Amino acid sequence: GDVVLKVYNHNDGKVLDKVKRDIAYYVQHAGYEVEQLDSGDIIVKGHVIGKSSFLNWVRSYGASMVILEPTSWGEDIIASALRKLNNYK
């Protein structure tokens, strides 16, 4: 589905640079859009095929990335994190 991500400008832009490298192919060949915000953060928009692997990729960035749309995908990440947390209770 169509996804909108926000990537926060942590670590002097190192996270942003890595995300931009990760999605460079999709920007060139799949029409992903990257918008630089005044804050230094970026918004990434694109069509995702393979929700499960995409969500794993988002999780790998921890607090540096958040899914803005669709909100249900962000809720899926929260539910997964809560299940993992409950394993340690």
Side-chain angles (χ1 to χ4, degrees), residues 7-22 42 61 64-65:
V7 184
Y8 296 101
N9 185 19
H10 295 281
N11 279 341
D12 299 322
K14 292 177 184 172
V15 169
L16 295 179
D17 291 342
K18 182 166 181 348
V19 170
K20 288 176 183 178
R21 283 193 307 271
D22 284 354
I42 61 172
Y61 280 93
S64 295
M65 185 180 291

Side-chain angles (χ1 to χ4, degrees), residues 1-5 32 44-48 54 67-70 73:
D2 291 332
V3 173
V4 179
L5 294 173
Y32 276 39
V44 179
K45 298 178 183 177
H47 185 77
V48 171
F54 177 79
I67 297 175
L68 301 178
E69 296 175 21
W73 286 23

